[in-house]
Amino acid sequence: MNTTGRYNEPPSTVNLGTDIDDFPEFEPFRDDAEDSEEDGEPEPRGPGELSVQAVDMCRHINMPKHRTQAYVTDNLVVRRGQEFVLHVTFSRSITPRDRFRLEFLIGSNPAIQKRTLEWVTFGTRDRGRWSGRILDSRGPRVVLGVTPRADSIIGRFRMYITLIYKWGLKRTRRNPDTDCYLLFNCWSVEDAVYYPDEPGRQEYVLNDNGVIYMGSRENLLSRDWVYGQFERGVLDACIYMLDACRMPITTRGNAIHIVRKGSAVINSQDENGVLVGNWSENFSGGTAPTLWTGSVNIMLQYANTGTPVRYGQCWVFAGVFNTFLRCLGIPARVISNFNSAHDNNGNLKIELIFKSDGSADMRNTHDSIWNYHCWNEVFMRRPDLPPRLSGWQVVDATPQETSDGLYRCGPASVVAIKEGLVGHAYDGPFIFAEVNSNVIYVTRDKYGNDIYTYVDKRLVGTGLFTKRILVDKADDITLTYKYPEGSVDEEKAMQTAESFGLARDQPAAADPAITVTLSVDQMELGMDVELKVELHNRGDAALTVKALLTCAVVFYTGVVSNRFKSEALEVTVAPDKKETVLVKIEAEEYLKHMGFQRFLAFTLVGSGDSGGLKAVKVVYLRAPDLQLKVSGVQAVGQDMFVNVSFTNTFKFPLYNVTVALEGPRVMSNRQRFYNILQPQASFNWKESFVPETMGKRTLVAVMSSANLCEIWGKIEFVVEDKLHVEEASD
Amino acid sequence: MNTTGRYNEPPSTVNLGTDIDDFPEFEPFRDDAEDSEEDGEPEPRGPGELSVQAVDMCRHINMPKHRTQAYVTDNLVVRRGQEFVLHVTFSRSITPRDRFRLEFLIGSNPAIQKRTLEWVTFGTRDRGRWSGRILDSRGPRVVLGVTPRADSIIGRFRMYITLIYKWGLKRTRRNPDTDCYLLFNCWSVEDAVYYPDEPGRQEYVLNDNGVIYMGSRENLLSRDWVYGQFERGVLDACIYMLDACRMPITTRGNAIHIVRKGSAVINSQDENGVLVGNWSENFSGGTAPTLWTGSVNIMLQYANTGTPVRYGQCWVFAGVFNTFLRCLGIPARVISNFNSAHDNNGNLKIELIFKSDGSADMRNTHDSIWNYHCWNEVFMRRPDLPPRLSGWQVVDATPQETSDGLYRCGPASVVAIKEGLVGHAYDGPFIFAEVNSNVIYVTRDKYGNDIYTYVDKRLVGTGLFTKRILVDKADDITLTYKYPEGSVDEEKAMQTAESFGLARDQPAAADPAITVTLSVDQMELGMDVELKVELHNRGDAALTVKALLTCAVVFYTGVVSNRFKSEALEVTVAPDKKETVLVKIEAEEYLKHMGFQRFLAFTLVGSGDSGGLKAVKVVYLRAPDLQLKVSGVQAVGQDMFVNVSFTNTFKFPLYNVTVALEGPRVMSNRQRFYNILQPQASFNWKESFVPETMGKRTLVAVMSSANLCEIWGKIEFVVEDKLHVEEASD
């Protein structure tokens, strides 16, 4: 677009590397331009005129006060809505007649009206949005206090000190050392992302390590994830992401816009974002989603190459998004929703279609239930919505469906989801369906006609979990999303959602006289699995059930990878009685079909008179953990060691074994490869490292092989202060 | 994104050329698969089994009834919510025991659940969303009636006839001749785009020619524009545009989504859409926006090359968008808003910044007032909004500001704009500001401090115009957008807008004792211009006014192209008196600076004690029209001629003169070039054509040169029916 004939250029969308066109160093006032030299730089007139000798951004004073000392950067990092100090050394003591101001610039063509240029003045003529005050002034050294507004644009600012003389302006020269990063501030009541208590801020903004829940509700597995938001380069990578998706600088102070844009740029759809999704079993040309230890490598690779990183699945999208959010100072956490509905056509029902012989009709089934799905929550005020909808908001970076034209989702108020208020921005209907859809079992006859045979209203959104604040335990937050199943309030929320246009078909499916329950006790990978089929005849006549039981390995998205067993059942159940059938699946039967997957799904579908009988049971099979041990003197500057070990307790060898290890503020990602690990064989992998800062630290390891993955391990340890160790050694 | 492990593939987004994976011709039922031959195609069993011999889509019966006969296509074009007929010839007479259905498919992987596969059945087992009935059945020839639902997906459908035998299904083979286009239907009450009267439908959907208003409110100029929505290839180009911007097929039945997506794809920003904007004076490598005669060439070039067409300005974006909308059957019209505000930061004020000497501060002015700006209105129900907000909706394809991440704008209810209800989807605040902003004149002192000197509340949105239904006159529709200036209702609407977060700063600018009015009587290009400056002293003491008058050539966006004259005025005005100063600008003074532009702007800014004095007057200079004459027998199939002529009545030669000529359903775009046209010289350009259909027709011509553009001409004439002429010649 050529815009010479328009004032309104396309907005500035680049923050990093935009210092080329800053204001001139010398800017004579036009009124008395005749007085000044036509060429050359006007010098300050006379020895008494003020000039700037040195500027100190006071990182060591400001960053602890702004809780930003963990960021590994060379520049000042501060939070908006809170004062920070600068030391300026002038050529002489300043007097009330001296006039100067600070100029903070962001993006190209910064301007006062666009809030991309902020002036800070230090006198009675204070007109800037950011306030300034002189805190101390002894001789030529002056201590200045600057308070950016709590709704300022966030990002990397350039700073100039501008002296105002009678003849014009003189600025300090461009100096990248005086650039500073401005972040969201959950400690400031005025900031839209204010979080009301300190433990929450410690967890949701400052914790650079976390847990993502997987598996199933009954068999909750925790996978550690290194957020690593303070590691060198990560803050710049976050700003690069906003630049890459061309987010206008002027909108970067608005938390709603930042998180919505973030949910779009984490996935590579639409704007060449960070991560390429891959839900196949072929991860060649990239890293398997199961092998990542955390976000840092992904974000640095993206920022360095500018091309999407291969590959992600939902927890990777959620993990990287969480790093992005915490790094910018927005309180954020990762949520896992078990049996998450992916409703393809917005009718609040998941239609699973079967052929008349009881086998699944894969071709015509478009909806799906993911065994689990991960998304993020951010904590913020929503000035665009009724006040009670502020607080936690759902955002989802996994590319599932487009929202107003792009792959992105949210922010949607969690309270609004619970109340069924799905008309508010953004994407309420899709998220409401993820936790509230009914599952409809449909039998399609040979002419293509559909018969609804069974409705399960309780399967979807069976539980939502997140890591507890500062504790390594799961918090069940299901009741923040849904009223209890069957309650009056739940029905009211469903009706509210319907009033916003969410169509809830109420298919008429007869209440079956016979019901079936599937259960499994043993869930260890490599062991035989015994499925218990319990049939309950609630009628007053004996019934003979004919059904087809199908056993399959499935993806975590619920999609069948391999169907390995099919068994016809015929059982007669006396009136008002239960009958139990045990079906044994031997380890050999399923192991050769597992591949990358860890889920088994059992589907029972009745036929003939028992056509209404439907049941699904999905089981996650556990495996042993990696073992981690640390040794050496656990203190800053000392050599330390970590040992990662694993013994193959299975009866089969593991091929192409990759192990990865990482610890935020301890060690960047390292990997080791083993061609084969025979049954009963072990590996012991020792790495050394030198801790640079004190405090509680975590190391996380993952293992992935051609025929087994999702093997995890971690260790926590405390690094002592350097000084403290020397005292102890006396 | 690799999705093997997910059911939910990225949605189908391509309509044209997606017939590769349609259903098989033979589809045996699985239940009795054992009976059928394993290899080869099963033949209908026995001579009595039904088969299809021929299908006739009945273009000549259906298209007049669906008002689609003007579309130049080889396929059937019909509108949804209205029955159309098909003639099917079977192998024998059908009986009630025969079972068959029609299958209509759109996009790849069509499915019943996604509404991209529609079944039409013809018996009691009618379960399809589209209804079917047998209208006549004599012998093997059957007349079938098909009624697509009024909310169906629109686009190009593939059609199959499927016979249902005991052993399975047999389909007709793929035949592009039986494809049909389904459009929106403003004649159907059930359709969301229903328009309530016939003259309106004739204008807003069926008129393929139109007028776009330019110039200024006082000097309204009409420019003809060939929409040409029925020309060969244009309907396919519209569908191609939806494909190019990857609009999911499943959402293509929703008029709101179609027009929102359309407003994004007309401009080349974001998704490589149709037109590249160019607001400079350099149009090399493309066609100057002023030289287009209509939309057809632009759309065909885009569809054929897949790359954006160079170049457009607002009326080109609006003209092409109007073609797109009318072609798909959505009632649409082009609106011109005079003095259209482009508010860069959403505060309902346009800040024009001046330096202390009265000259414009171009660097710091980011807002602008376009002398005129064109957008579109579409007529539709808005089920997503309160009912009274249905009706005309603003959509704007000119890339001005991004809306939720993309360059697009609307649909926004016109009623909502008038009432200040800017909280409803989509983009109410931006459009509200375009017609309601206050203009603030700001003087910036040398330290950078801003002083508000004058507020003009009446300049912006001074008039909105559109072509009258079926008549070549302008309708003033200002009152559909705004209550009268100064009325109680207007203040209420402003307050409503504020309650939705639109900040209206109320700058305190003193009511000046002296006011100034600028006016110009003569507006012919090439003649001297006399500016009348009228000063009115409303105070009770004599005042001496000092002011700077600046004369400039400006773009239609209000941006200064050349400032060619600057004159200091000093006038003393007695109390309660008026003084008039006449400033003469000679033709020679401005002509050499005009370039492509036709607007002169006069700006008067007071200085010293008269600092509050500000006035702007923008004048569009008229020029002679092109003359068009037709000759020959005005009847179908006869040779006809058109003569385009122009005489250079200016005192200067015209260089690089291009003339373009086009008439919908008469003649596609033709061009002629003249190196130079000396003063008093003329050209006479004669072209021949043969009309193919009868009715009222229009030919439109435009002329553009290196130093003069926006020269227009048109002629209307009636083409008689062929038969009628033969009778007349007897």
Side-chain angles (χ1 to χ4, degrees):
Chain A
M1 190 161 77
N2 193 323
T3 58
T4 322
R6 290 175 57 176
Y7 284 119
N8 303 86
E9 300 162 19
S12 168
T13 58
V14 180
N15 182 180
L16 300 178
T18 49
D19 52 345
I20 307 114
D21 281 331
D22 277 351
F23 305 127
E25 192 177 347
F26 294 96
E27 205 173 337
F29 294 137
R30 239 173 61 144
D31 294 359
D32 50 357
E34 308 82 43
D35 305 343
S36 72
E37 300 90 322
E38 279 295 303
D39 302 306
E41 300 175 345
E43 280 303 305
R45 319 290 165 82
E49 252 185 17
L50 198 64
S51 67
V52 175
Q53 307 283 340
V55 182
D56 179 354
M57 301 300 283
C58 305
R59 279 170 47 91
H60 296 289
I61 300 169
N62 290 316
M63 287 174 69
K65 284 192 180 158
H66 284 252
R67 293 98 174 170
T68 56
Q69 70 272 35
Y71 286 89
V72 184
T73 66
D74 300 325
N75 288 82
L76 177 64
V77 183
V78 288
R79 299 183 193 275
R80 64 189 195 177
Q82 182 177 340
E83 188 175 60
F84 63 92
V85 300
L86 275 80
H87 291 175
V88 179
T89 309
F90 288 104
S91 53
R92 57 160 170 78
S93 300
I94 57 169
T95 74
R97 289 179 50 227
D98 291 319
R99 294 183 59 197
F100 65 93
R101 66 179 179 233
L102 304 186
E103 293 178 353
F104 289 86
L105 283 64
I106 187 166
S108 55
N109 302 316
I112 294 269
Q113 273 83 356
K114 298 181 181 175
R115 318 177 106 234
T116 50
L117 164 61
E118 298 285 0
W119 283 354
V120 185
T121 55
F122 298 87
T124 48
R125 279 170 156 270
D126 186 351
R127 291 178 45 88
R129 285 179 293 255
W130 293 15
S131 63
R133 56 179 182 148
I134 298 175
L135 294 168
D136 194 21
S137 165
R138 288 181 207 174
R141 193 145 180 273
V142 179
V143 181
L144 302 176
V146 174
T147 309
R149 265 176 65 139
D151 59 359
S152 292
I153 292 168
I154 61 99
R156 181 174 173 136
F157 280 83
R158 309 184 289 283
M159 196 274 285
Y160 296 90
I161 302 178
T162 303
L163 302 174
I164 302 159
Y165 303 116
K166 266 178 292 179
W167 56 266
L169 308 175
K170 179 180 189 299
R171 290 188 175 79
T172 49
R173 285 179 198 228
R174 171 89 184 97
N175 178 6
D177 295 343
T178 62
D179 286 5
C180 62
Y181 294 90
L182 194 61
L183 305 182
F184 288 99
N185 191 352
C186 71
W187 284 264
S188 163
V189 184
E190 290 172 27
D191 197 309
V193 303
Y194 173 69
Y195 192 89
D197 69 65
E198 186 58 24
R201 297 173 200 138
Q202 293 286 329
E203 177 70 36
Y204 298 133
V205 170
L206 296 183
N207 196 349
D208 55 358
N209 207 72
V211 173
I212 300 177
Y213 294 98
M214 299 185 164
S216 61
R217 194 202 158 104
E218 309 83 49
N219 185 11
L220 212 58
L221 298 175
S222 59
R223 181 206 211 293
D224 286 273
W225 190 265
V226 177
Y227 297 126
Q229 67 265 37
F230 305 121
E231 303 295 295
R232 181 173 288 277
V234 171
L235 177 53
D236 274 337
C238 293
I239 297 174
Y240 172 80
M241 285 158 62
L242 296 175
D243 288 358
C245 66
R246 297 179 296 155
M247 181 174 191
I249 301 277
T250 51
T251 64
R252 295 193 189 176
N254 184 318
I256 296 168
H257 291 169
I258 289 257
V259 302
R260 181 153 176 77
K261 203 78 193 175
S263 87
V265 74
I266 301 292
N267 65 73
S268 66
Q269 316 290 97
D270 306 319
E271 57 279 274
N272 253 351
V274 181
L275 272 164
V276 179
N278 185 333
W279 281 265
S280 77
E281 297 200 293
N282 176 5
F283 304 114
S284 60
T287 299
T290 49
L291 193 55
W292 297 111
T293 44
S295 311
V296 178
N297 274 24
I298 295 169
M299 296 178 75
L300 296 183
Q301 183 183 328
Y302 179 69
N304 289 334
T305 65
T307 47
V309 177
R310 293 160 189 272
Y311 291 106
Q313 290 181 4
C314 69
W315 68 92
V316 189
F317 290 102
V320 171
F321 198 8
N322 219 48
T323 301
F324 170 86
L325 295 163
R326 290 189 181 177
C327 186
L328 296 179
I330 301 169
R333 60 189 188 181
V334 175
I335 306 297
S336 297
N337 177 35
F338 290 96
N339 294 340
S340 191
H342 184 164
D343 180 10
N344 205 42
N345 44 4
N347 60 357
L348 277 190
K349 64 182 184 191
I350 296 296
E351 290 177 303
L352 304 182
I353 299 174
F354 295 86
K355 298 181 185 169
S356 42
D357 67 351
S359 64
D361 184 344
M362 309 280 285
R363 174 171 172 172
N364 289 303
T365 297
H366 300 285
D367 296 330
S368 58
I369 305 168
W370 293 28
N371 298 330
Y372 60 87
H373 177 49
C374 305
W375 60 64
N376 302 72
E377 282 182 4
V378 290
F379 194 91
M380 57 178 58
R381 282 199 290 275
R382 287 294 299 265
D384 56 331
L385 304 183
R388 70 200 175 88
L389 303 185
S390 290
W392 288 113
Q393 313 285 320
V394 175
V395 281
D396 188 348
T398 300
Q400 294 198 309
E401 296 286 330
T402 53
S403 160
D404 203 6
L406 298 174
Y407 277 96
R408 56 187 172 182
C409 183
S413 161
V414 173
V415 172
I417 299 298
K418 180 169 183 172
E419 304 289 350
L421 294 164
V422 297
H424 295 294
Y426 297 87
D427 305 314
F430 185 77
I431 297 159
F432 187 84
E434 285 184 306
V435 297
N436 283 311
S437 288
N438 290 338
V439 180
I440 320 283
Y441 295 82
V442 177
T443 300
R444 177 164 292 190
D445 75 8
K446 65 181 178 181
Y447 304 112
N449 298 319
D450 290 345
I451 301 148
Y452 288 143
T453 50
Y454 182 59
V455 179
D456 189 335
K457 297 185 176 177
R458 287 164 188 257
L459 181 64
V460 163
T462 186
L464 294 108
F465 293 87
T466 189
K467 177 183 175 300
R468 189 170 294 178
I469 290 176
L470 301 181
V471 177
D472 196 350
K473 278 195 176 149
D475 261 345
D476 184 339
I477 57 163
T478 313
L479 289 178
T480 67
Y481 279 82
K482 316 166 69 162
Y483 285 102
E485 294 279 356
S487 66
V488 176
D489 286 332
E490 187 214 10
E491 183 52 31
K492 213 174 120 198
M494 294 296 277
Q495 284 169 2
T496 304
E498 285 177 319
S499 76
F500 280 97
L502 260 189
R504 177 173 48 144
D505 288 8
Q506 298 279 23
D511 205 24
I514 275 209
T515 56
V516 61
T517 316
L518 304 179
S519 59
V520 173
D521 286 338
Q522 194 293 113
M523 302 188 189
E524 293 292 330
L525 185 72
M527 309 285 278
D528 297 346
V529 173
E530 202 171 58
L531 177 74
K532 193 197 281 182
V533 181
E534 200 175 58
L535 294 155
H536 186 184
N537 183 353
R538 295 166 193 276
D540 46 13
L543 284 169
T544 298
V545 171
K546 283 185 178 180
L548 185 74
L549 176 74
T550 313
C551 309
V553 174
V554 296
F555 290 84
Y556 87 99
T557 57
V559 169
V560 170
S561 163
N562 285 297
R563 201 176 285 107
F564 62 85
K565 185 173 185 161
S566 209
E567 199 167 310
L569 299 180
E570 184 164 343
V571 187
T572 303
V573 192
D576 206 23
K577 288 279 183 234
K578 290 182 182 175
E579 287 290 336
T580 301
V581 181
L582 294 178
V583 180
K584 192 171 176 183
I585 297 98
E586 291 185 7
E588 283 67 29
E589 281 184 275
Y590 69 77
L591 273 176
K592 56 178 174 275
H593 300 284
M594 293 303 284
F596 266 112
Q597 311 310 322
R598 293 280 287 276
F599 285 101
L600 293 183
F602 304 99
T603 311
L604 184 132
V605 178
S607 56
D609 292 340
S610 322
L613 209 60
K614 302 280 159 84
V616 172
K617 178 73 189 175
V618 177
V619 173
Y620 185 91
L621 297 175
R622 298 166 190 269
D625 289 339
L626 290 170
Q627 299 300 318
L628 277 78
K629 273 186 194 155
V630 293
S631 54
V633 181
Q634 299 184 197
V636 171
Q638 302 291 317
D639 282 330
M640 285 192 64
F641 306 92
V642 56
N643 195 74
V644 184
S645 63
F646 181 81
T647 303
N648 179 5
T649 55
F650 299 108
K651 292 173 186 163
F652 52 90
L654 302 177
Y655 299 102
N656 298 337
V657 178
T658 308
V659 192
L661 176 68
E662 181 181 4
R665 288 182 272 172
V666 175
M667 181 196 291
S668 61
N669 187 288
R670 298 185 198 178
Q671 299 205 357
R672 180 149 292 200
F673 182 79
Y674 303 92
N675 270 322
I676 190 163
L677 200 63
Q678 296 288 1
Q680 304 314 316
S682 301
F683 66 76
N684 269 285
W685 171 27
K686 195 169 184 178
E687 286 282 334
S688 69
F689 59 97
V690 180
E692 288 180 9
T693 55
M694 56 172 287
K696 204 177 106 182
R697 293 290 176 270
T698 307
L699 276 161
V700 173
V702 311
M703 184 182 110
S704 190
S705 77
N707 50 344
L708 180 72
C709 65
E710 301 188 1
I711 307 294
W712 306 311
K714 81 159 165 187
I715 189 163
E716 290 182 347
F717 57 97
V718 175
V719 176
E720 305 287 338
D721 196 354
K722 197 171 186 174
L723 193 66
H724 183 74
V725 175
E726 284 170 355
E727 285 170 353
S729 67
D730 280 342
Chain B
M1 184 160 79
N2 192 323
T3 57
T4 323
R6 290 175 56 176
Y7 284 117
N8 303 87
E9 300 161 19
S12 168
T13 59
V14 180
N15 183 180
L16 300 177
T18 49
D19 53 345
I20 307 113
D21 282 331
D22 278 351
F23 304 128
E25 192 177 346
F26 295 96
E27 204 171 339
F29 293 139
R30 239 174 61 145
D31 296 356
D32 52 356
E34 308 82 42
D35 303 342
S36 71
E37 300 91 321
E38 278 294 305
D39 301 306
E41 299 174 347
E43 282 301 305
R45 318 290 164 83
E49 251 185 18
L50 199 64
S51 66
V52 176
Q53 308 283 343
V55 181
D56 179 355
M57 301 300 283
C58 305
R59 280 169 47 89
H60 296 292
I61 300 170
N62 291 316
M63 288 174 69
K65 285 193 179 157
H66 285 251
R67 293 96 173 170
T68 55
Q69 70 272 37
Y71 286 89
V72 184
T73 66
D74 300 325
N75 288 82
L76 177 65
V77 183
V78 288
R79 298 183 193 275
R80 63 188 195 179
Q82 181 177 341
E83 188 174 59
F84 63 94
V85 300
L86 274 79
H87 291 176
V88 179
T89 310
F90 288 103
S91 53
R92 58 160 169 77
S93 301
I94 57 169
T95 74
R97 286 178 52 226
D98 291 320
R99 294 183 60 197
F100 65 92
R101 66 179 179 234
L102 304 186
E103 294 178 352
F104 289 86
L105 284 63
I106 186 166
S108 55
N109 301 315
I112 294 268
Q113 273 84 355
K114 296 181 182 176
R115 319 177 104 236
T116 50
L117 165 61
E118 299 285 359
W119 284 354
V120 185
T121 56
F122 298 88
T124 49
R125 279 169 157 270
D126 187 350
R127 290 179 47 89
R129 285 180 292 256
W130 292 16
S131 61
R133 55 178 182 148
I134 297 175
L135 294 168
D136 193 22
S137 165
R138 289 181 206 175
R141 192 144 180 274
V142 178
V143 181
L144 301 176
V146 175
T147 310
R149 265 176 66 139
D151 60 357
S152 292
I153 292 169
I154 59 101
R156 181 175 173 133
F157 280 83
R158 309 183 291 283
M159 196 274 284
Y160 298 90
I161 302 178
T162 303
L163 302 173
I164 302 160
Y165 303 117
K166 266 179 291 180
W167 56 266
L169 307 176
K170 179 179 188 301
R171 289 188 177 80
T172 49
R173 284 179 199 228
R174 171 90 184 97
N175 177 7
D177 294 344
T178 61
D179 287 5
C180 61
Y181 293 89
L182 194 62
L183 305 182
F184 288 98
N185 191 351
C186 70
W187 284 265
S188 164
V189 184
E190 290 172 28
D191 198 308
V193 304
Y194 172 69
Y195 193 88
D197 68 64
E198 186 58 23
R201 296 174 201 138
Q202 293 286 332
E203 177 70 36
Y204 297 134
V205 170
L206 296 184
N207 196 347
D208 54 0
N209 207 72
V211 172
I212 300 178
Y213 293 98
M214 301 186 164
S216 61
R217 193 202 159 105
E218 308 84 51
N219 185 11
L220 212 57
L221 297 176
S222 60
R223 180 204 212 296
D224 287 272
W225 190 266
V226 177
Y227 296 127
Q229 67 266 34
F230 305 121
E231 303 296 296
R232 182 172 289 277
V234 171
L235 177 53
D236 274 337
C238 292
I239 298 174
Y240 173 80
M241 283 157 62
L242 297 175
D243 288 359
C245 67
R246 297 180 296 156
M247 181 174 191
I249 302 277
T250 52
T251 65
R252 294 192 191 177
N254 184 318
I256 296 168
H257 292 170
I258 289 258
V259 301
R260 182 155 176 76
K261 202 78 192 175
S263 87
V265 74
I266 301 292
N267 66 71
S268 66
Q269 316 289 97
D270 304 321
E271 56 280 274
N272 253 352
V274 181
L275 271 164
V276 179
N278 184 333
W279 282 264
S280 77
E281 300 201 290
N282 177 4
F283 304 114
S284 60
T287 300
T290 50
L291 193 53
W292 298 111
T293 45
S295 310
V296 179
N297 274 23
I298 296 168
M299 294 177 77
L300 295 184
Q301 183 183 328
Y302 179 68
N304 289 333
T305 65
T307 47
V309 177
R310 297 163 186 270
Y311 294 101
Q313 289 182 5
C314 70
W315 67 91
V316 189
F317 290 102
V320 171
F321 198 7
N322 218 49
T323 300
F324 169 87
L325 295 163
R326 290 189 180 178
C327 187
L328 295 179
I330 301 169
R333 59 189 189 183
V334 175
I335 306 297
S336 297
N337 177 35
F338 289 96
N339 293 340
S340 191
H342 184 163
D343 180 10
N344 204 41
N345 45 4
N347 60 356
L348 277 189
K349 62 181 186 193
I350 296 295
E351 290 177 303
L352 304 182
I353 300 173
F354 295 87
K355 298 182 186 170
S356 41
D357 66 352
S359 63
D361 184 343
M362 310 281 284
R363 173 171 172 171
N364 288 303
T365 298
H366 301 283
D367 296 330
S368 58
I369 304 168
W370 293 28
N371 299 329
Y372 59 87
H373 176 48
C374 304
W375 59 65
N376 302 71
E377 282 182 3
V378 290
F379 194 91
M380 58 178 59
R381 283 200 289 276
R382 288 295 300 265
D384 56 331
L385 304 183
R388 70 200 176 87
L389 303 186
S390 289
W392 288 113
Q393 312 285 322
V394 175
V395 281
D396 187 348
T398 300
Q400 294 198 310
E401 296 286 331
T402 54
S403 161
D404 204 7
L406 299 174
Y407 276 96
R408 58 186 170 184
C409 183
S413 160
V414 174
V415 172
I417 299 298
K418 181 170 183 173
E419 304 290 350
L421 293 164
V422 297
H424 295 294
Y426 298 84
D427 306 314
F430 184 75
I431 297 158
F432 187 85
E434 285 185 305
V435 297
N436 284 309
S437 287
N438 290 338
V439 179
I440 320 283
Y441 295 82
V442 177
T443 300
R444 179 164 292 190
D445 75 8
K446 65 181 178 181
Y447 305 112
N449 297 319
D450 291 344
I451 300 147
Y452 288 141
T453 51
Y454 182 58
V455 179
D456 189 335
K457 297 184 176 177
R458 287 165 187 257
L459 182 64
V460 164
T462 186
L464 293 108
F465 293 87
T466 190
K467 177 184 175 300
R468 189 170 295 178
I469 290 175
L470 301 181
V471 177
D472 196 352
K473 278 197 176 147
D475 261 346
D476 183 339
I477 57 164
T478 314
L479 289 179
T480 68
Y481 279 83
K482 312 168 71 164
Y483 284 104
E485 294 279 356
S487 67
V488 177
D489 285 333
E490 186 213 12
E491 181 55 29
K492 212 174 120 199
M494 294 296 278
Q495 283 169 3
T496 305
E498 285 178 319
S499 76
F500 279 99
L502 261 188
R504 175 172 51 143
D505 288 8
Q506 298 279 22
D511 206 24
I514 274 207
T515 56
V516 61
T517 316
L518 304 180
S519 58
V520 173
D521 286 336
Q522 195 291 116
M523 301 189 190
E524 294 293 329
L525 185 71
M527 309 286 277
D528 297 346
V529 173
E530 202 170 59
L531 177 74
K532 194 196 281 182
V533 181
E534 198 175 59
L535 295 154
H536 186 183
N537 183 354
R538 297 166 192 276
D540 46 12
L543 283 170
T544 299
V545 171
K546 282 186 181 182
L548 186 73
L549 176 73
T550 313
C551 310
V553 174
V554 297
F555 290 85
Y556 87 98
T557 57
V559 169
V560 170
S561 163
N562 284 296
R563 199 175 286 110
F564 63 85
K565 185 172 186 164
S566 209
E567 198 168 311
L569 300 180
E570 184 164 342
V571 187
T572 303
V573 192
D576 206 23
K577 288 279 182 230
K578 289 182 183 176
E579 287 290 336
T580 299
V581 181
L582 294 177
V583 180
K584 191 171 176 184
I585 298 99
E586 293 185 5
E588 283 66 31
E589 280 185 275
Y590 69 78
L591 272 174
K592 55 178 175 271
H593 300 285
M594 292 303 285
F596 267 111
Q597 311 310 321
R598 292 280 286 276
F599 284 101
L600 294 183
F602 305 99
T603 311
L604 184 133
V605 178
S607 56
D609 291 341
S610 320
L613 209 60
K614 302 280 157 85
V616 173
K617 177 73 188 174
V618 178
V619 173
Y620 185 90
L621 297 176
R622 298 168 190 268
D625 288 338
L626 290 171
Q627 299 301 317
L628 277 77
K629 273 186 195 153
V630 293
S631 54
V633 181
Q634 298 184 197
V636 170
Q638 302 292 318
D639 280 330
M640 284 192 65
F641 305 93
V642 57
N643 194 75
V644 184
S645 62
F646 182 80
T647 302
N648 179 5
T649 55
F650 300 108
K651 294 175 186 161
F652 52 91
L654 301 177
Y655 298 102
N656 298 336
V657 178
T658 307
V659 192
L661 176 67
E662 180 180 3
R665 290 182 272 172
V666 175
M667 181 195 289
S668 60
N669 188 287
R670 298 184 198 177
Q671 299 206 357
R672 181 148 290 201
F673 182 79
Y674 304 92
N675 271 322
I676 189 164
L677 199 64
Q678 296 289 359
Q680 304 314 317
S682 301
F683 66 76
N684 268 287
W685 170 27
K686 196 169 185 179
E687 286 282 333
S688 69
F689 60 96
V690 180
E692 289 178 10
T693 55
M694 55 171 288
K696 204 178 106 183
R697 294 291 177 269
T698 307
L699 276 160
V700 173
V702 310
M703 185 182 110
S704 191
S705 76
N707 49 344
L708 179 71
C709 65
E710 300 187 0
I711 307 295
W712 307 310
K714 81 159 163 187
I715 189 163
E716 291 184 347
F717 57 99
V718 174
V719 176
E720 305 288 336
D721 197 353
K722 199 172 185 174
L723 195 64
H724 182 75
V725 174
E726 283 167 357
E727 284 169 354
S729 67
D730 279 343

